[in-house]
Amino acid sequence: MGLEEGGAMRALMRRKQVDSDRVRAAGGHQLAKELSVTQLVAIGVGSTIGAGVYVLVGTVAREHAGPALTLSFLIAGVAAALSAFCYAELASRCPSAGSAYHYSYICVGEGVAWLIGWALILEYTIGGSAVARGISPNLALFFGGQDSLPWFLARHELPWFDLVVDPCAAFLVLVVTALLCKGIKESSFVQGVVTVLNCFVMLFVIIAGSYIGFKTGWVGYKVAGGFFPYGANGMLAGSATVFFAYIGFDSVASTAEEVKNPQRDLPLGIGTALSVCCSLYMLVSVVIVGLPRILMAMARDGLLPSFFSDVNQRTQVPVKSTIVTGICAACLAFFMDVSQLAGMVSVGTLLAFTIVAVSILILRYAPPDEVPLPSSLEASFRLSQEYDEEKVRGPPVDANHEQLSSAVESINDTLIEKKQDTSVEESKRRKAAVCSISSVCVGVVVLTTSASFTFLPFLLRCFFCVFGGLLLLAGLGVLCYIDQDDGRHSFGHSGGFICPFVPLLPVMCILVNTYLLVNLGGGTWMRVGVWLVMGVFVYIFYGRTHSSLTDVVYVPVAQAEEIYGSSSSSGFVA
């Protein structure tokens, strides 16, 4: 089912299957299973606690939220918690590198997966740069102040370019890149140590700051606009920006392929990391007022050059893609400021969280009922088809058995009619589910944009808010009424976490995340838009034609299992 048969639109809808033990047994670019729950929590908290608390808190408080910063973190934390439930189920069902890119490729299609993966590349690269850029001024304090760093590490202003470069931040990124190349076990151990120290520092700031603040009454701290100096929209804009601070549990999901027991450990790691980070952020705001595995996953699917999918045989980590992303992140940390980076990271994070919630709805109501079959097994597929046709035709019947055959045929006709009726009803249910999910998504976009665009006339805003709300409620109502698909029980790996309150929780997640996305501002969307347009061209001229799904044949799940079983019994592994 290549591009020449179905065209570009069919390419956008191509879906891959869940990576299974059979795929791992076949060898190839696989990562080492080394991580436990404790290491996952360390990765999640370590990826989250950084520039978000040391630099971003003050920036958002000054420019957006003021004293309402605590509520900004709470709203962002609630939105992240809704997404965490969805992540936990998909991560345990589909434990492979790639996080939201991998899930959307399985549930939605190749076109959406490409955009999500491209946005995640930006998110992780800029996220590392923002953290390094935020840490470097604090590191300078150990040398006696910002101007006390050695010359080759100190910040320098380039007046002819109107830039402030930060060699220290770039150096920090390169050091971390070298550490990541050593192996996931070693890098997670170092990250665990740094995370523990980081948490102790934050607890000290919370305790000491609370004591001094409540004792003196925060002398000298005055805000003319009260608790909401920039209004409710400012608080929501602050929530959208500080969402960057909750990137951590997406990092946990991206390491799924390296977890020893993903069905148990991934949900625990995601939930614990999120709870710790949200609590610390809120307490600090009261007082103060991943990276290369996405590239590896996309290259493994043929959407990027195979250079990025190479896994080092000794360390079992994607060293080449780690080095490339490390160099890019170092360049960004050298040239760009944290305030320019934070909003761009939040776009990638929110887009990923939204598509994960949509994937949960698809998984429950219209999971993929066909899987791609490699071209190497097409011969087995044709033999299976010929065998089925022979069974349908059956052997020739002599005259002595005509009466018995007619009775059997009448019974078979009844069974066939019942089966056809069930198939038609199931087809109608799936179509209703797909239409309802689409109605929810369109309704959310119309509702959130009309509610946020305050420059529109009041009556026009009200009309679109009502229209979007009706689409949302109609889609949600149908999803609550119809049954979920029985295929969800056999989708991916069983025995893991199950997202509760479906469809309500994923729909709430889509609504909150989209509202935060709309409130990120035009400037941020313009910068991210340039990156996404670049991604579209890369997909059109490379990924679309080099995808590993270009020449595959899609067959029903049950038939695929039969073909794989017969192939493995004959000694061939796909």
Side-chain angles (χ1 to χ4, degrees):
M1 193 173 291
L3 288 174
E4 67 277 6
E5 298 178 11
M9 185 56 66
R10 188 179 296 275
L12 294 176
M13 300 304 296
R14 291 185 297 213
R15 295 193 287 196
K16 62 182 289 189
Q17 66 180 118
V18 179
D19 291 345
S20 61
D21 295 334
R22 179 181 62 248
V23 177
R24 173 173 282 274
H29 307 291
Q30 301 296 330
L31 302 174
K33 285 185 172 290
E34 298 282 355
L35 301 179
S36 62
V37 175
T38 305
Q39 291 168 315
L40 287 175
V41 174
I43 290 174
V45 177
S47 302
T48 302
I49 303 298
V53 71
Y54 294 122
V55 177
L56 196 60
V57 167
T59 302
V60 174
R62 183 181 68 250
E63 298 179 359
H64 297 290
L69 178 64
T70 305
L71 295 181
S72 295
F73 271 111
L74 177 61
I75 293 171
V78 169
L82 293 174
S83 300
F85 283 108
C86 302
Y87 261 96
E89 176 170 347
L90 286 171
S92 59
R93 283 183 180 270
C94 316
S96 183
S99 67
Y101 157 76
H102 180 64
Y103 312 145
S104 57
Y105 206 164
I106 293 172
C107 297
V108 184
E110 186 175 280
V112 173
W114 168 265
L115 284 179
I116 295 300
W118 194 251
L120 284 174
I121 293 172
L122 179 71
E123 170 194 334
Y124 282 111
T125 305
I126 290 183
S129 306
V131 170
R133 191 85 181 199
I135 288 176
S136 60
N138 297 279
L139 188 65
L141 297 176
F142 288 99
F143 293 88
Q146 183 175 352
D147 298 328
S148 302
L149 277 172
W151 182 87
F152 63 92
L153 292 177
R155 288 185 174 182
H156 301 283
E157 185 175 358
L158 304 179
W160 53 92
F161 291 117
D162 194 23
L163 289 174
V164 176
V165 296
D166 194 336
C168 181
F171 176 74
L172 288 173
V173 172
L174 294 176
V175 169
V176 173
T177 301
L179 178 63
L180 289 172
C181 292
K182 291 288 292 181
I184 186 65
K185 192 172 183 179
E186 292 80 1
S187 60
S188 63
F189 172 76
V190 174
Q191 188 171 35
V193 174
V194 174
T195 299
V196 171
L197 294 175
N198 225 341
C199 289
F200 276 117
V201 171
M202 291 182 67
L203 289 174
F204 172 78
V205 171
I206 292 168
I207 295 171
S210 299
Y211 172 76
I212 296 172
F214 282 108
K215 184 177 180 180
T216 62
W218 276 274
V219 174
Y221 181 76
K222 296 180 180 179
V223 180
F227 191 75
F228 296 95
Y230 301 98
N233 287 335
M235 180 191 66
L236 293 171
S239 296
T241 304
V242 300
F243 208 92
F244 153 66
Y246 293 101
I247 189 178
F249 73 83
D250 183 69
S251 303
V252 174
S254 69
T255 63
E257 193 172 315
E258 298 156 280
V259 180
K260 295 177 181 177
N261 188 351
Q263 280 71 41
R264 184 199 66 185
D265 295 349
L266 279 170
L268 288 175
I270 289 172
T272 305
L274 178 63
S275 301
V276 171
C277 295
C278 186
S279 302
L280 289 175
Y281 274 131
M282 289 186 67
L283 289 172
V284 170
S285 63
V286 168
V287 175
I288 302 177
V289 171
L291 290 168
R293 282 154 183 78
I294 306 296
L295 278 173
M296 188 203 72
M298 296 178 73
R300 197 158 57 182
D301 294 329
L303 301 181
L304 287 175
S306 59
F307 169 86
F308 295 105
S309 64
D310 290 342
V311 175
N312 186 274
Q313 294 296 324
R314 184 176 63 84
T315 61
Q316 289 188 287
V317 296
V319 173
K320 294 180 180 178
S321 58
T322 300
I323 293 174
V324 171
T325 53
I327 292 174
C328 293
C331 293
L332 289 171
F334 185 77
F335 289 108
M336 297 186 71
D337 189 65
V338 173
S339 59
Q340 297 173 314
L341 298 171
M344 298 174 69
V345 178
S346 293
V347 170
T349 307
L350 286 165
L351 281 175
F353 289 2
T354 303
I355 203 63
V356 165
V358 174
S359 298
I360 283 290
L361 292 177
I362 294 175
L363 185 157
R364 294 296 188 89
Y365 289 95
D369 53 359
E370 293 183 336
V371 296
L373 195 68
S375 56
S376 57
L377 292 179
E378 286 187 24
S380 300
F381 172 62
R382 294 194 185 95
L383 288 175
S384 176
Q385 282 184 317
E386 293 174 1
Y387 178 70
D388 290 340
E389 290 174 359
E390 289 178 1
K391 283 203 304 183
V392 171
R393 286 196 299 267
V397 181
D398 57 25
N400 295 329
H401 297 283
E402 287 183 359
Q403 186 175 2
L404 178 62
S405 298
S406 62
V408 172
E409 286 176 4
S410 63
I411 295 174
N412 287 338
D413 288 342
T414 305
L415 293 176
I416 290 172
E417 287 178 3
K418 290 182 178 179
K419 188 175 181 180
Q420 287 177 342
D421 291 340
T422 304
S423 177
V424 170
E425 291 178 1
E426 177 60 17
S427 177
K428 289 181 179 179
R429 189 205 58 79
R430 286 179 67 94
K431 288 180 180 178
V434 172
C435 292
S436 301
I437 295 172
S438 302
S439 176
V440 166
C441 295
V442 173
V444 164
V445 172
V446 173
L447 177 61
T448 53
T449 52
S450 56
S452 301
F453 289 174
T454 55
F455 57 85
L456 293 175
F458 178 75
L459 291 178
L460 189 61
R461 288 179 62 200
C462 289
F463 170 77
F464 281 112
C465 283
V466 171
F467 178 69
L470 289 175
L471 284 177
L472 170 60
L473 292 175
L476 179 60
V478 173
L479 291 177
C480 291
Y481 176 75
I482 63 177
D483 294 328
Q484 296 185 23
D485 198 295
D486 289 335
R488 72 187 189 278
H489 298 299
S490 58
F491 182 87
H493 299 255
S494 59
F497 179 83
I498 300 298
C499 180
F501 308 116
V502 176
L504 183 61
L505 189 147
V507 170
M508 287 297 298
C509 178
I510 296 170
L511 177 63
V512 175
N513 289 339
T514 306
Y515 192 59
L516 294 177
L517 272 170
V518 173
N519 281 277
L520 275 171
T524 298
W525 273 108
M526 286 181 62
R527 288 190 290 269
V528 174
V530 173
W531 173 257
L532 293 178
V533 169
M534 290 171 55
V536 170
F537 282 106
V538 173
Y539 176 74
I540 290 174
F541 293 107
Y542 184 89
R544 185 170 64 97
T545 55
H546 289 78
S547 170
S548 60
L549 300 182
T550 300
D551 297 319
V552 300
V553 175
Y554 285 85
V555 299
V557 175
Q559 190 174 6
E561 291 299 327
E562 291 179 4
I563 294 172
Y564 278 118
S566 61
S567 300
S568 60
S569 63
S570 63
F572 178 78
V573 179

